[in-house]
Amino acid sequence: GINAEYGVDSTMKTITVRSIFFFVALLFSLQVITIEGRVTFEDYNPVADPKAVVVENNARFTVLTPTLIRMEYSSKKVFDDRPTIQIVNRRLPVPSFSVTSKDGTLVITTDKLKLTYVASNSTPVDTCANPLTNTDQVGGVRVPNYPNGLSAGTQSQCCGACNKDPSCSAWVYEPNHSSGSIDCWLMMDVTGTSSSNNRVFGGSTDSSGFNKNNLRVELNVNGKSVIWTPGTQNSKNLGGTLTAMDCYVVKEQCIKDYWQNLQDGLLALDGWYVLSDTRSARYDSNLSPMQIDGSIPWFNETFFDSDDLYFFGDGLNYRDTIGNYALVGGRPVMPPRAAFGVWWSRYFAYSQQQFIDEVLSGYAKYQLPLSVVVLDMDWHTEDNLPGCQTWGGYTFNTKLFPDPQQFISWLHGTSNILGHPVKLSLNLHPQTGVDHCQGKYVEFARAMGVNPATNTTIPCDFGNPTFGSNIFSVFLDAQPLSGVDYWWTDYGGCGGPDGRSLYWSNYYYDTHLQVIKQKRPLVLSRNGGLGNHRLPIGFSGDTLQAFMTLEFEVQMTPMAANVLFGYWSHDIGGFHANQGTPGDSNPANVTGSELLLRWIQFGAVAPIDRTHCDHCERRIWLFPHFFWMKHAFILRNALVPYIYTSARNAFETGVATVHPMYYDSPLAPEAYSYNTQYMFGDDIVAAPITSVNDNKTHTYTKGVWLPEGTWSNWNGTETYHGPIVVTKDYGVQDIPLFVKAGSVIPMQTFNSVSSIYADPLMWTIFPGASLGSGKVYEDDSDGLDYLNNVYAVTTVTYSWSSSQVTIKIAPTVGTFDGFASQRGHIVQLRGGKGDPKSVTANGTPIPKGNSTPGWYISTEYGLDVTEGALVINLGKYPVSTLVSIEVQY
């Protein structure tokens, strides 16, 4: 029975899951609690503290934070505390709030919200008034009868039985045409499987409890009183993101479709947002445990007769809303460090030797940074035989890769042509299923209970635990594929909760890799909707090579932070060229080359920097703009310590590295209207160029809005006092970047392209403030120990006067496996006054010269080390030692 299965509290009738085993902690990330300046973690708990819960008649309210309240209504007074795809944690410190209840009117007051519920204006839905008939349709399929017909009785007895059962959402009372009797059928919300399209979602009792007459929430938004009631439109929503950006029509229609398909985010100028979790699939490890791989909590589509809403009322304090959702929806996990470097990808049937000779050798010859290589679908066999397909596969094509296992080991080693390890990602297209042309088809078919002699294609269904487990045990966890670092499932959605199959496939891959390999998983896939922020990273799909596409990506990527989806990976350069786009299949096409350059420059300050296209060219040394493309790649590699530190901040706060300007300037109209710029971390304003240069001036004029405060341009040659719009002409060599005064940006050199931490670490200081500071976060780069405080933080401070600059690198706090006892440091001082009189480190003079130790003034163009910067190479110091640098002018 339902009570035995879920443990219904007899007084409150609150449904709780008795136990969710250990691995839920891995899936749902962890709750972060600050203790004595450090961060510790506790498992997420979907059951709220009873002290935060208020029940009034058919309604239950849970005060989660001063600005976040869960609101539930159930005609049967049955409430659900299981974790869902969207909400995984409700056990939070109980905020201060007051409750009054008189004559059926409940008032809950926090420091920020006042909720009023009038129970007398709530009429519990009478299922007797709304019978279903056996000819009603759900999803185009005849409604099934669950679980069994009852013996003939009165219509009142039939509906009464439904009212008494918590999982009954509706009922049927009609003649049984087989027996001639009259039967009563209870329509249960049941756990569905991927093959059933006949799920009942609440029947006649769904979404009928709260209305504008019985519920309202009052809050203050920028000094104005705002009242929300059910049905109020969130008319000024600031947007979220998309499932993907696939488009094969004319570019103008693509952009129109993107904006029309853009989903809502959690932020709005209205000052509030209501998230419905009423029909979000639940997790229930007790109800449907995996029989083969019991480490992965399974989904549950048993829904109950209740509304389930979350009211976010933070006003225009956008960071608070993001933080509140991170508390209940789960924190964005950290991708592996290598993911933040430069990726290579191209849809092209390379052989192993051709890939080495034509791609990797170019990266080595031109000293280009490279962290991840991707092989699109041509790595696997593509047997065009009856009953087989060529799109997806799990079998290496040994005609192209004679010894896949050796090739993977070679990539992972230091003896490869690059001289440093690189990660490998392979494209799968699992939605195509497993056909008889796969090398291990017989083994897989038998594991699935299918007769291999039938040559039957076994359809993809990650809603079937046996299918998912066998995909890994037979193919992905076996040699040679077990050596693959990251999977690109491309689309991948098949099976799982109704309407959330893409999320479920992402979840299955992500969680399995985490549990089996004990490594941070990286699954490159389209976005599976709210909750997918816990499963990085996103593949934005097949886009047109056009400046319009680039501009939309620059606009949409920061908006995705509004649903905590902080790791979009776009096809840098665009996937395909048709419908009048400039394209870049021919590197001699200067317009196409400039388009690729600007896209690569965006990639340098995007969440993920992965070039890709459909058989067109991506070897940048073949393009006229190669020199500047190379420097954009070098900049991306240099920024990895800064990006990785920001990724840790996103894990702790929910605020993505790339986020909108209005997070910190909600009252400034320019923060909304200047929408081709964004914050890159908390210290850099990035405004990539998204249009072709003027044919006469060979520049592009762009205005960049800088918020309140002092800002420096990237070279450190100019400072600005905001708020201000800085309009300049930008050449092909320029990426408009501005740095907040007082910031210290941690960077790395080319030598650290594949390291788990930067050595040497380059501290870059910008002008505009007399005092400043910065820090770098580091861990083992791809393990799970970061969840348990196993990491290191190094902090730097400086003071800057007219005659002296003092920089202090503090001893590193913390450590991790693989972290050295000493490391090198470089200080880059931008905006200085030429040659200093003297430079010392811990009292020891540093000589002039490009040596170690030594200092020099940079005289060459660069984006990592800029022209005119004072560069001080300190050499190595113990990480436990304070290093104090004095620069005298």
Side-chain angles (χ1 to χ4, degrees), residues 709-725:
T710 302
W711 299 83
S712 167
N713 67 352
W714 189 244
N715 289 343
T717 57
E718 298 177 11
T719 56
Y720 308 93
H721 299 286
I724 188 175
V725 176

Side-chain angles (χ1 to χ4, degrees), residues 401-733:
F401 295 88
D403 189 343
Q405 190 169 337
Q406 183 276 334
F407 174 67
I408 295 172
S409 297
W410 180 80
L411 285 175
H412 287 163
T414 57
S415 61
N416 63 41
I417 195 170
L418 298 170
H420 63 79
V422 293
K423 303 292 187 180
L424 173 65
S425 176
L426 298 184
N427 181 289
L428 285 179
H429 288 110
Q431 73 273 17
T432 57
V434 179
D435 60 48
H436 68 88
C437 289
Q438 297 304 312
K440 296 182 178 181
Y441 172 78
V442 172
E443 180 182 351
F444 184 80
R446 286 174 176 163
M448 292 297 297
V450 174
N451 182 359
T454 63
N455 283 347
T456 300
T457 295
I458 301 168
C460 177
D461 183 4
F462 286 104
N464 177 353
T466 304
F467 177 87
S469 181
N470 288 331
I471 282 291
F472 278 91
S473 63
V474 175
F475 295 113
L476 304 185
D477 287 343
Q479 292 286 6
L481 296 182
S482 60
V484 175
D485 299 287
Y486 314 135
W487 291 112
W488 178 13
T489 61
D490 211 309
Y491 175 72
C494 41
D498 188 76
R500 298 301 298 271
S501 62
L502 181 53
Y503 167 89
W504 187 253
S505 296
N506 295 346
Y507 158 78
Y508 193 101
Y509 272 86
D510 185 280
T511 307
H512 179 92
L513 292 170
Q514 221 173 161
V515 169
I516 299 302
K517 292 191 174 182
Q518 287 292 292
K519 296 289 186 181
R520 269 177 260 177
L522 189 157
V523 180
L524 183 61
S525 173
R526 289 165 172 83
N527 176 21
L530 193 63
N532 209 123
H533 67 282
R534 301 187 300 270
L535 315 170
I537 60 179
F539 162 55
S540 62
D542 300 346
T543 54
L544 280 170
Q545 296 170 2
F547 277 103
M548 281 185 176
T549 309
L550 170 59
E551 181 174 77
F552 180 81
E553 289 180 355
V554 171
Q555 294 170 324
M556 182 273 288
T557 304
M559 292 172 66
N562 296 347
V563 287
L564 282 70
F565 198 71
Y567 297 113
W568 268 124
S569 175
H570 304 295
D571 286 356
I572 297 299
F575 180 67
H576 60 93
N578 59 18
Q579 305 291 344
T581 61
D584 51 27
S585 57
N586 177 9
N589 178 346
V590 176
T591 301
S593 176
E594 185 177 339
L595 170 63
L596 180 58
L597 167 68
R598 293 307 193 188
W599 226 311
I600 287 174
Q601 290 174 341
F602 167 53
V605 285
I608 304 294
D609 190 5
R610 178 186 55 84
T611 59
H612 188 61
C613 69
D614 180 2
H615 291 81
C616 66
E617 192 54 74
R618 282 294 174 263
R619 291 172 291 174
I620 64 172
W621 50 90
L622 300 178
F623 287 83
H625 294 87
F626 165 59
F627 179 80
W628 297 289
M629 293 177 183
K630 174 180 178 177
H631 280 280
F633 274 1
I634 292 173
L635 173 63
R636 175 64 182 203
N637 175 70
L639 285 170
V640 167
Y642 174 77
I643 299 169
Y644 199 59
T645 301
S646 182
R648 176 68 192 202
N649 182 65
F651 169 71
E652 294 185 5
T653 67
V655 176
T657 297
V658 173
H659 58 270
M661 300 297 299
Y662 48 73
Y663 275 31
D664 297 309
S665 304
L667 300 181
E670 296 87 349
Y672 303 88
S673 60
Y674 281 77
N675 63 352
T676 58
Q677 63 178 73
Y678 50 82
M679 292 302 301
F680 186 61
D682 287 337
D683 300 321
I684 298 174
V685 172
I689 302 299
T690 59
S691 183
V692 67
N693 281 351
D694 182 271
N695 288 330
K696 295 182 179 179
T697 64
H698 302 291
T699 61
Y700 179 77
T701 304
K702 182 166 185 171
V704 180
W705 177 76
L706 299 177
E708 185 176 348
T710 302
W711 299 83
S712 167
N713 67 352
W714 189 244
N715 289 343
T717 57
E718 298 177 11
T719 56
Y720 308 93
H721 299 286
I724 188 175
V725 176
V726 178
T727 302
K728 298 184 72 68
D729 294 332
Y730 294 100
V732 292
Q733 73 277 10

Side-chain angles (χ1 to χ4, degrees), residues 344 350-360 373 407:
W344 160 271
Y350 284 107
S351 69
Q352 176 177 319
Q353 196 58 48
Q354 184 183 16
F355 185 68
I356 294 171
D357 294 342
E358 296 185 9
V359 178
L360 297 183
V373 296
F407 174 67

Side-chain angles (χ1 to χ4, degrees), residues 247-252 254 544-546 576-582:
C247 196
Y248 283 86
V249 296
V250 294
K251 57 183 182 292
E252 291 81 6
C254 288
L544 280 170
Q545 296 170 2
H576 60 93
N578 59 18
Q579 305 291 344
T581 61

Side-chain angles (χ1 to χ4, degrees), residues 62-142:
T62 306
V63 184
L64 296 164
T65 76
T67 53
L68 174 58
I69 300 177
R70 185 187 189 192
M71 307 179 297
E72 300 168 273
Y73 183 93
S74 171
S75 62
K76 298 183 178 70
K77 302 182 181 180
V78 177
F79 304 105
D80 194 346
D81 280 335
R82 292 169 296 169
T84 75
I85 284 178
Q86 298 182 146
I87 303 293
V88 298
N89 182 51
R90 304 183 188 98
R91 179 70 65 149
L92 301 175
V94 180
S96 175
F97 67 95
S98 63
V99 179
T100 62
S101 180
K102 184 178 181 181
D103 299 330
T105 298
L106 174 72
V107 178
I108 300 174
T109 305
T110 74
D111 293 341
K112 301 294 182 180
L113 304 177
K114 180 181 178 182
L115 181 149
T116 303
Y117 173 65
V118 184
S120 59
N121 289 342
S122 303
T123 303
V125 174
D126 180 10
T127 60
C128 295
N130 298 286
L132 293 176
T133 69
N134 207 33
T135 56
D136 285 338
Q137 301 292 304
V138 174
V141 179
R142 180 172 164 140

Side-chain angles (χ1 to χ4, degrees), residues 21 39 65 76 131 181 187 247 285 337 342 361 372 394 417 494 533 542 546 614 712 776 785 796 806 812 846:
F21 44 79
V39 178
T65 76
K76 298 183 178 70
S181 64
M187 313 304 289
C247 196
S285 59
R337 188 180 191 270
V342 175
S361 63
V372 183
Y394 300 93
I417 195 170
C494 41
H533 67 282
D542 300 346
D614 180 2
S712 167
V776 65
D785 282 346
V796 65
T806 301
T812 298
I846 301 293

